[in-house]
Amino acid sequence: MALKMVKGSIDRMFDKNLQDLVRGIRNHKEDEAKYISQCIDEIKQELKQDNIAVKANAVCKLTYLQMLGYDISWAAFNIIEVMSASKFTFKRIGYLAASQCFHEGTDVIMLTTNQIRKDLSSPNQYDTGVALTGLSCFVTPDLARDLANDIMTLMSHTKPYIRKKAVLIMYKVFLKYPESLRPAFPRLKEKLEDPDPGVQSAAVNVICELARRNPKNYLSLAPLFFKLMTSSTNNWVLIKIIKLFGALTPLEPRLGKKLIEPLTNLIHSTSAMSLLYECVNTVILCVQKLRILIEDSDQNLKYLGLLAMSKILKTHPKSVQSHKDLILQCLDDKDESIRLRALDLLYGMVSKKNLMEIVKKLMIHVDKAEGTTYRDELLTKIIDICSQSNYQYITNFEWYISILVELTRLEGTRHGHLIAAQMLDVAIRVKAIRKFAVSQMAMLLDNAHLIASNTQRNGICEVLYAAAWICGEFSEHLEEANQTLEAMLRPKVTTLPGHIQAVYVQNMVKLYASILQQKEQAGEKEAAQEITQLMIEKLPQFVQSADLEVQERASCILQLIKYIQKLQVKEVPVAEEVIALFAGELNPVAPKAQKKVPVPEGLDLDAWINEPPSDSESEDEKPKTIFHDEEQRHSRHRQPEIDEEELARRREARKQEQANNPFYIKSSPSPQKRYQDTPGVEHIPVVQIDLSVPLKVPGMPMSDQYVKLEEERRHKQKLEKDKKKKKQKKEKRGKHHRHNSLHTESEEDIAPAHHVDIITEEMPENALPSDEDDKDPNDPYKALDIDLDKPLADSEKLPVQRHRNVETLKSPDSEALLVEKKSKKPKKKEKKHKEKEREKGKKKEKEKKVVEEEEEKKVICQDLHCLKSAVMDHIYCCVLFLVFFGAVLCLTLLNLSCDFFHLQTYDIQGNLQNDSQVTVSVIFENKSTSFLKSMELNVLDSLNTKMLRPEGSSVHDGIPVPFQLPPGISNEAQFVFTLQSIVMAQKLKGTLSFIVKNDEGSTHEKLDFKLHFSCASYLITTPCYSDAFAKLLESGDLHMNSIKVDGISISFQHLLAKICFHHHFSVVERVDSCASMYSRSIQGHHVCLLVKKGENSVSVDGKCSDSTLLSNLLDEMKETLSKC
Amino acid sequence: MRFMLLFSRQGKLRLQKWYLATADRDKKKMVRELMQVVLARKPKMCSFLEWRDLKVVYKRYASLYFCCAIEGQDNELITLELIHRYVELLDKYFGSVCELDIIFNFEKAYFILDEFVMGGEIQDTSKKSVLKAIEQADLLQEVRHPQTHLWSPQNTPMETP
């Protein structure tokens, strides 16, 4: 035994340490892999020993090997062992290894929870530090949830070293466990004013990162950050703060003005370029300064200058456009990063006027570019630039098509499919260009051998896909269809990729059909038969294809054509029937169309069509699945068949509706059916031009020609306009003399070459209006979009690890303690509320005596008492709110929304000074990307309820909303209503009209809504003492009524909270499962309630000075309670 | 910051720190790709490049490339500054640091980085306090191996090129 131990320690002396390992690897350059596998074997042996020092050494070596790319996940458990070593030396290594190789998929990671918790509370600050650092690398949602509370405690640690680490790691915790944000935020905010600069900067860091993602929740912190910005001298912190303000300013325009001064100070005083860059980035008014950056010889500054420029471009395109020369110059830079930035800028700079010029420049660059990646980038940029915002800047589509055709000459590009997609898109959507496009495509097909000749240029042959489809689909525009057909039937075609061949085959038939029709109409039976013969001769080459799709299509079509031949021999005219195969026009469909189809009523998409077989069955029946599937399919098929008639009827109805709907683009009768009776083009033998070096696709038009033509055309246009102007001038001689000399060609002056009708994409009828499409549900930061100003609810506490036995053996003492703790918490809140109350109080000009406030607090305490329960939730928190404000806030959640607007919540609030007035607060939120203005709210007055309008206006006049709404902004407006009687609930219909302004112009829109004044909204939560309450009941001049609701399962506290919240009552007294409640209407009616809870039911006895009011109130209450 | 890499001109990885837990396979792929891109760039070119959806900021010191990947909104120049600060820290700690120091004491290099940057955010901007923390922690760690100073003629001290 002793010998073994000695032997063990001697062995250890010969263990390799990290240095030995590194040296060894360097000495075994030839057989590194072998050496390392040998080392790993040694390490495995070392890990088996009990000595922690040996293990730590082994883990340290493993960490190094991990960096070299070796898998060490098998040692995860050993790493945890080393992490839990008591000595810092080993612990450090363990955590390092963990931080390098643990991730969410590591299964042993949950074993670390307790170890980390222990280290976090270690008396040694470096133990804690190392644990925090490690955790920051591999925190998972589970770890975040379990440790959030511990870390939050560390944020107030005595040592700044720990505090700053704890603050920083909180950001990671928030990301993984968003629920922790609200409870931890107050403390995080405190840290902004920490005496230690390190902690402070960490807090700034975290809050800035949070705020950048969801700025609107952090607006309230602006003053604090403003103070920090003017006082801090730390550049790192300043940059973060400026970034934060950059995110906040769009939300609060007034901030911008305030910021100008400190920012300009910084710009002038700082010597740090990074800070200057950040300032400039935020101010984005300093285009001239940027020019200096771009012209600088330092490549880094040049790059950043261009980057900042692209940000300015979004808001001030004009000021950037004047630097076009400089940016084009940057395209020649030898650094690819810079060239790419310049390209980005060009994208935003084009206009109708300069598009052709810019693209021409780019085309030259394409020719010059070395390296396919950059050339591909250029290609995509050209296409992006031209196709942006629905081809907005293209005035001449012939030019664009020829550009696309020229791009097909690019060698070895990966983006053939992009060009193809553009060709298809343009040909389909721009009707006027089809004839030209078809002729170009025919030429491409004719020269297909050039494009497809080189197998390496595979990417580009995608354009043949587009070419074949366009020629087939719009074959009526083809002049020499025969020639094209023959080009498509060449043997070379069979070398193309399968999916292209398939399209070839399909479109051949379209071509064939149209040729057939031509010939038949011209009475050339011979020629018609000849073309059939040609097809029958050539098609077999496709039938033999290895590609299934091609093979299937080809053999199908071959049979069809053989049949046609038979008919032709019998001299039966066939063309009409063949062409009918392809009748009808394809319209472009919007990409989102499918999503927007509304779900018809009564269709539950989540319901099973067939109940899934139970688990136990499926195990046994696996081999049978084929049959099983088949059965299912059958039953699915049967379903629609039953409704075939119904479907047909609906289809008819829809057609009718479309015809009557002016928003539908009516398709002209299919052009395919009108064929010109041109004499058939005789069979022309095609000479194969075989150029070994494809310099230029022969016969292709050059885009340059179009540039020249376009210039001439514009010049002519301009001249004509000038002429007209001169004429006008002659008429009004002398009046506008100066203006003419200053005349420059402006954007609007350029009319497109020919009438271009971009067919808009089709949307389904009743498309659902939704703007949610662009939001990414997987965005990790979205979860952190949390309102931070709302007071904390008790349920939002961070989970605290407790020992189980404590929970089960709860002594009365500990319970009392708990109560005390809970009642302490709200007191903290009280302070906050008081502040808010003060603000609100000012607004409402409500004067309250201190005594009254004291009384109010008492009531709250009572409420608190009766509400303290394990299920304290959101509602409780709201009730507190209500009592504190001392005002009635009836929150009727209402989600009126249309494309542009979101009338989010409105509050109806009784006016205390005037017993017949109610104030309604409406929050307007602009959800669109357009600017909303001239909003007017109008309500159809009823006899009882009227909107308070300014004097002199009629009942039909709306009340203007006193603000305008930029995109994404919300604001609140209040409207006052007068009422005569409040004993009944009221519903008012109203309309909101507004003007939507965006790039395309402005439109007038309307939104209808209903305003619901419930009886409860006329009540004001008023506290009442039990003796006053008793007197009131004794007085005897109250009417009585009662209700009973069955099937209530929620707790009594909860129930009371609901009544308090929804119906504005306050609790007077509560004994066991019985409570008295009180409220007052704005017209001074007293309402008293006695609520009793039975086994499963609740009875409410009410007394009120007005019987109608009481019965209506009780009806409303019944509805609320029956939902419980 | 998403991650930081140190690699040599020969394309040998010397240090990697990931601030977003990533699977090993993805890490390897990203490292390989990024090294290729960065090594292909010429000395006079700028230090920034866009790569995937990230921005990459790199700087070469002697034979070592320091390379950081940051997100779209982050400040490039401050990241450059961060790299420089880290090099300064290494230099102070090792005393004219060279690539070999980092190879043989790679865990120390990690510890310094961990004290300086945490979770992708700068933890302490003061060089002094970072070094103090490291020294303190080192004192706790008993000396396991006699510190052999490694020096070979072909490895010159690192300087800004």
Side-chain angles (χ1 to χ4, degrees), chain A residues 451-477:
Chain A
I451 290 167
S453 65
N454 194 337
T455 40
Q456 279 180 336
R457 295 163 72 187
N458 248 341
I460 204 67
C461 61
E462 289 290 329
V463 296
L464 291 177
Y465 178 100
W469 190 85
I470 292 172
C471 285
E473 186 64 25
F474 306 118
S475 50
E476 72 269 19
H477 295 298

Side-chain angles (χ1 to χ4, degrees), chain A residues 345-359:
Chain A
L345 269 176
L346 281 182
Y347 175 75
M349 281 173 54
V350 288
S351 62
K352 279 184 185 168
K353 205 165 70 179
N354 62 16
L355 174 74
M356 284 182 160
E357 183 195 344
I358 287 180
V359 171

Side-chain angles (χ1 to χ4, degrees), chain A residues 308-319:
Chain A
M309 201 76 124
S310 67
K311 283 181 190 162
I312 296 175
L313 187 71
K314 283 177 203 144
T315 48
H316 301 84
K318 286 254 166 67
S319 53

Side-chain angles (χ1 to χ4, degrees), chain A residues 335-350:
Chain A
D335 188 344
E336 201 172 293
S337 279
I338 288 176
R339 287 197 305 248
L340 290 178
R341 280 278 75 76
L343 268 181
D344 272 353
L345 269 176
L346 281 182
Y347 175 75
M349 281 173 54
V350 288

Side-chain angles (χ1 to χ4, degrees), chain A residues 252-267:
Chain A
E252 177 55 272
R254 280 173 299 175
L255 213 55
K257 267 188 200 157
K258 272 203 143 183
L259 283 173
I260 288 176
E261 198 201 318
L263 279 181
T264 36
N265 280 347
L266 279 175
I267 290 175

Side-chain angles (χ1 to χ4, degrees), chain B residues 30-69:
Chain B
M30 285 165 92
V31 169
R32 209 181 322 121
E33 230 175 88
L34 192 59
M35 266 202 275
Q36 236 170 26
V37 178
V38 172
L39 289 175
R41 292 177 64 86
K42 298 196 175 66
K44 275 281 174 73
M45 290 182 176
C46 74
S47 300
F48 318 118
L49 49 107
E50 258 171 33
W51 178 76
R52 298 197 180 180
D53 55 339
L54 299 171
K55 288 197 283 198
V56 172
V57 178
Y58 72 92
K59 193 152 174 79
R60 188 179 147 188
Y61 289 89
S63 56
L64 259 191
Y65 282 89
F66 289 71
C67 179
C68 289

